Amino acid sequence: MPALLGKAKAMGCDLDLDDVTYYVGHETVVSREDGQGLPGWQEAIFSAMERNSSHISSFMRLPTDNVVEIGRQVAILKRLLLG
């Protein structure tokens, strides 16, 4: 993303690259309190995948001083397959 903004500036777009703020989202898998969630082992797998995945700010090589991370907790609903 910073490289693209740099190219836009080089093409005449009026940007102050030192004043850019990047907003990224971050989700955390949590248990459902109503008993409608995934079995514990599946929640553990989702949580491990989330913890071990690279953050979007690292993936996009965003400057850490210019990143605001907005988080939310997500509970995954178990779906019953009928049929």
Side-chain angles (χ1 to χ4, degrees):
M1 188 59 73
L4 290 175
L5 292 175
K7 287 181 182 180
K9 182 172 179 141
M11 295 174 71
C13 189
D14 186 26
L15 290 173
D16 180 3
L17 297 178
D18 293 328
D19 195 34
V20 173
T21 302
Y22 303 92
Y23 293 88
V24 298
H26 180 78
E27 296 176 340
T28 302
V29 177
V30 297
S31 298
R32 289 183 59 97
E33 296 177 5
D34 61 3
Q36 298 286 321
L38 296 174
W41 66 270
Q42 288 179 344
E43 282 185 14
I45 289 173
F46 273 96
S47 294
M49 288 190 305
E50 187 272 327
R51 271 192 318 273
N52 293 324
S53 64
S54 64
H55 286 94
I56 189 69
S57 55
S58 298
F59 180 78
M60 296 184 78
R61 299 180 181 157
L62 302 178
T64 56
D65 292 343
N66 297 42
V67 174
V68 175
E69 187 172 299
I70 301 170
R72 71 177 184 164
Q73 295 180 335
V74 178
I76 301 173
L77 177 63
K78 173 177 51 178
R79 295 198 61 181
L80 299 175
L81 298 176
L82 303 175

